[in-house]
Amino acid sequence: METNGSGEQSNKTIIHYFYEWERLQPYKLFLCQPIGDSFVDITWGEAGRQIRIMATYLNSLGLPPKSTIGLVSKNCAHWLIADLAILISDHVSVPFYPTLTGPQLRQVLEHSECSVLFVGKLDDWTSLKTGIPDEVHKIAFPSYSSAVPAITDQAIQWDEIMATYEPMSGNPLPKPADLFTIVYTSGTTGKPKGVMLSYDAMAQALEKTRQQMVSDLPETRFFSYLPLCHIAERNIVEAIGIATGGTIYFAESLDTFAKNLASARPTHFLAVPRIWTRFQLGILAKIPQKKLDWLLRMPILSGIVTRKIRQGLGLDDAKLILTGAAPMPISLLLWFRRLGIRIQEAYGMTENLGAVSMMPADQVKDGTVGRVNEGMAVRTDPITGEIMTRSRWNMVGYYREPALTAATLKDGWLYTGDVGELDSDGFLRITGRVKEMYKSPKGEYIAPAQLEFGFADNNHIEQICVTGQQLPQPIALVVLSEAARKNDRPTITLSLEKTLKGLNQRVHTYERVKKLIVVKEPWTVENNRMTPTMKMKRNSIDDHYGNQYEPWFSREEVVVWEE
């Protein structure tokens, strides 16, 4: 099936929006940076002053127009200021994940040909700086706390630039076809690819999704904690925050996340499924499921309890609550819906600005990732089921990778690598990834993601990976939730066996999961089992555990505990 994209032209970029709000509301709060129990507040006017001074400095370096300028830092106010300074000085912004190792940073720095790099809020600067070539000019953000000291190693300091240079005058604007940014994918498989996106792409995506993004509120607030170098955060927080003239709050650290979110009380909030799972486990740790069910059945108590839960999370003012980047179990959506937290799924990828489809607030169709956006055309391959997209916000291509570009963009269609189905109402369902699907020894296709959904209702499971391409039947690796790890092994084993039995009764014989393996170590960004956006790195998981698959498969028990 195929939908037809259409729409009128709009070339209002985030630079247009920034100039507009800088002029109309210079004293309104734009960026709110927490430091301990206090905040550094930056107005639109003050942000404009710093952006313009930094643009003057960048222009003084004598770089060729449209040079690539890198940015590596955790989310903070100066991340956005630096990004906008790069853009208004007629250069191309290239953000990198702050969790990269030194060698990984060197690879993307050299590939992107960045000669200037902003460095900021980082956990391991000592390791990371080994990946920065000596000839790269470094600009250091100011320190936000004594726990994260200022970077001084051969870097010019932000405050020194602010004290030395004058603000750039005028309001230079880009051409629609100009390159806006190069976004490096998180690299779930292989090396990251540099996705080139134009100003026109961002302008079109903003315009065509404006209504769904609830951009007509008199006051908009955003909470920035997912990596800003990822397309979802760049869209939902930076682009929509600037387009609506809103206020953007930041998370100081993982330890202060809950406090910072409660202070921000965002009107727009995005969380990947694993964050929603953690929210659920946190709520259940305070109110066990049986007690919660009883409270929700009481007419008066129900309203009080759900309101307190939303307030406790900081979501009582949220008008748009989104999830994306990975599949979200229907059971989890329904669980939050009972609490008055209506999570809308969105689907896309870096290569199409993350803006393919979104669940309408007033027409929910669970099991899908929403309805295809206006201006976006979608079709699926009749044989493989691969999803293809076409729109004015498809990428220009992969930076310095013509062969990869030609294999992904064909006749205006972007081959996403995702497998799915499109219904007659324009709602899209994702069923897996082309590269993740594999053939059983008897030749039948197995989609791991669909089997993983079958474990979604078991609250003892925090992470799961179905694998075993070389085995007679699939196996599933399981990471237990924090609460489950404190429970006794026989109880957990019994629960996992019951869930597995229920799943296997619903699937084809060749899809039945033979063993559940409870692994000892959670999968994290630090141990390279997860991407910075909390997607599983299946290849890395297989590399780490692969030599134990056959011995585990041969064990007598159904639930195997890693020793």
Side-chain angles (χ1 to χ4, degrees):
M1 282 189 80
E2 177 176 337
T3 61
N4 291 312
S6 62
E8 298 174 3
Q9 181 171 340
S10 171
N11 292 321
K12 198 169 183 181
T13 69
I14 62 171
I15 297 180
H16 287 83
Y17 285 114
F18 172 74
Y19 290 150
E20 182 178 315
W21 297 121
E22 178 194 32
R23 176 177 59 85
L24 293 176
Q25 50 184 35
Y27 302 110
K28 183 184 175 184
L29 182 60
F30 175 30
L31 306 172
C32 191
Q33 178 68 50
I35 301 179
D37 293 326
S38 61
F39 295 89
V40 172
D41 293 340
I42 300 176
T43 64
W44 282 88
E46 172 59 20
R49 185 186 73 85
Q50 294 192 36
I51 289 165
R52 290 173 179 276
I53 289 175
M54 187 55 68
T56 297
Y57 175 72
L58 293 175
N59 289 333
S60 76
L61 298 178
L63 303 172
K66 298 173 180 54
S67 292
T68 50
I69 296 180
L71 202 168
V72 61
S73 170
K74 294 166 77 172
N75 298 15
C76 60
H78 287 84
W79 198 107
L80 291 183
I81 292 172
D83 195 42
L84 286 165
I86 293 168
L87 301 184
I88 72 168
S89 58
D90 195 29
H91 296 303
V92 179
S93 168
V94 190
F96 304 117
Y97 285 99
T99 51
L100 294 176
T101 63
Q104 289 170 337
L105 179 60
R106 180 177 291 272
Q107 189 268 321
V108 288
L109 269 175
E110 291 178 346
H111 186 270
S112 62
E113 303 177 300
C114 288
S115 57
V116 178
L117 178 68
F118 284 92
V119 291
K121 193 178 176 188
L122 297 164
D123 289 333
D124 189 9
W125 168 242
T126 302
S127 171
L128 198 65
K129 69 181 179 181
T130 61
I132 304 175
D134 292 339
E135 63 272 18
V136 172
H137 183 82
K138 298 188 289 291
I139 303 169
F141 289 176
S143 173
Y144 284 113
S145 69
S146 57
V148 186
I151 293 165
T152 57
D153 307 56
Q154 300 177 337
I156 185 167
Q157 299 300 302
W158 185 282
D159 290 342
E160 180 184 342
I161 293 171
M162 293 298 118
T164 306
Y165 292 82
E166 294 295 320
M168 183 192 78
S169 59
N171 293 341
L173 291 168
K175 295 182 176 66
D178 286 349
L179 205 56
F180 153 56
T181 188
I182 300 173
V183 179
Y184 277 84
T185 58
S186 55
T188 51
T189 57
K191 291 182 179 178
K193 302 181 289 290
V195 177
M196 297 186 288
L197 299 169
S198 69
Y199 280 97
D200 183 60
M202 178 60 83
Q204 290 299 312
L206 274 173
E207 180 65 22
K208 298 306 176 189
T209 60
R210 173 179 289 274
Q211 186 175 357
Q212 298 100 298
M213 292 301 170
V214 196
S215 58
D216 57 349
L217 295 174
E219 180 85 15
T220 57
R221 295 186 300 278
F222 303 79
F223 184 63
S224 181
Y225 69 100
L226 293 171
L228 268 166
C229 52
H230 185 265
I231 197 64
E233 190 84 350
R234 202 93 175 274
N235 282 349
I236 304 302
V237 172
E238 183 182 33
I240 299 175
I242 291 172
T244 60
T247 301
I248 298 172
Y249 295 76
F250 296 88
E252 183 179 19
S253 68
L254 187 61
D255 292 337
T256 64
F257 175 89
K259 180 178 74 171
N260 297 152
L261 175 56
S263 297
R265 294 174 60 244
T267 58
H268 294 61
F269 182 70
L270 166 70
V272 296
R274 193 172 176 214
I275 296 290
W276 290 114
T277 299
R278 288 184 174 182
F279 282 167
Q280 181 193 42
L281 294 173
I283 293 167
L284 292 176
K286 296 177 181 178
I287 312 176
Q289 188 66 61
K290 286 185 179 180
K291 183 178 179 181
L292 182 60
D293 289 339
W294 180 81
L295 290 170
L296 294 179
R297 286 195 295 268
M298 301 293 106
I300 297 176
L301 286 177
S302 176
I304 296 172
V305 169
T306 55
R307 185 166 60 252
K308 283 194 172 183
I309 289 175
R310 292 196 300 270
Q311 288 174 342
L313 290 175
L315 298 179
D316 48 315
D317 276 356
K319 301 297 186 291
L320 180 67
I321 304 176
L322 292 172
T323 191
M328 180 82 159
I330 296 175
S331 58
L332 195 56
L333 291 168
L334 295 174
W335 192 89
F336 277 102
R337 211 172 287 164
R338 291 183 69 199
L339 303 179
I341 298 173
R342 300 185 65 84
I343 303 168
Q344 294 170 245
E345 291 197 80
Y347 164 72
M349 56 198 299
T350 309
E351 288 85 343
N352 48 38
L353 257 169
V356 174
S357 66
M358 181 174 158
M359 190 70 71
D362 58 352
Q363 192 181 351
V364 174
K365 188 175 283 191
D366 288 327
T368 75
V369 289
R371 189 163 51 206
V372 173
N373 291 323
E374 179 190 355
M376 170 63 67
V378 170
R379 71 183 185 188
T380 56
D381 186 281
I383 298 174
T384 65
E386 182 173 7
I387 297 167
M388 293 165 273
T389 72
R390 183 175 64 190
S391 71
R392 282 186 49 186
W393 54 89
N394 273 357
M395 69 172 180
V396 176
Y398 294 118
Y399 189 63
R400 298 177 60 198
E401 299 287 355
L404 278 175
T405 299
T408 307
L409 282 175
K410 303 174 186 177
D411 299 323
W413 289 95
L414 172 70
Y415 286 66
T416 66
D418 287 322
V419 178
E421 301 164 355
L422 189 67
D423 71 18
S424 58
D425 296 320
F427 283 77
L428 188 61
R429 180 171 177 260
I430 309 298
T431 57
R433 289 280 297 168
V434 173
K435 290 182 179 179
E436 290 175 2
M437 295 177 69
Y438 66 89
K439 283 187 177 182
S440 73
K442 295 181 180 179
E444 300 98 339
Y445 276 104
I446 293 173
Q450 293 303 300
L451 296 175
E452 288 158 5
F453 269 147
F455 296 90
D457 290 336
N458 192 316
N459 291 328
H460 297 313
I461 299 173
E462 183 167 330
Q463 298 166 285
I464 185 162
C465 177
V466 170
T467 185
Q469 188 168 351
Q470 308 304 323
L471 300 174
Q473 294 286 141
I475 62 172
L477 309 183
V478 168
V479 174
L480 297 178
S481 67
E482 185 176 350
R485 289 196 290 271
K486 298 174 183 176
N487 213 325
D488 63 279
R489 186 173 290 191
T491 299
I492 299 302
T493 298
L494 188 63
S495 171
L496 295 177
E497 287 176 344
K498 182 179 178 181
T499 300
L500 180 61
K501 183 178 179 181
L503 168 69
N504 284 342
Q505 289 173 345
R506 302 192 302 269
V507 300
H508 296 292
T509 304
Y510 61 85
E511 294 177 303
R512 290 176 182 168
V513 177
K514 183 73 171 178
K515 303 285 180 183
L516 282 182
I517 316 299
V518 180
V519 299
K520 294 186 294 186
E521 185 182 29
W523 303 326
T524 65
V525 175
E526 289 71 26
N527 62 24
N528 199 36
R529 311 282 185 271
M530 302 284 284
T531 71
T533 53
M534 299 188 187
K535 295 178 185 175
M536 279 190 301
K537 299 184 79 167
R538 294 181 187 271
N539 288 358
S540 177
I541 289 171
D542 283 337
D543 288 344
H544 183 74
Y545 299 104
N547 63 351
Q548 300 178 73
Y549 288 171
E550 287 192 13
W552 282 337
F553 191 86
S554 301
R555 294 272 289 269
E556 184 178 340
E557 64 269 39
V558 174
V559 177
V560 178
W561 294 72
E562 184 186 19
E563 301 300 337

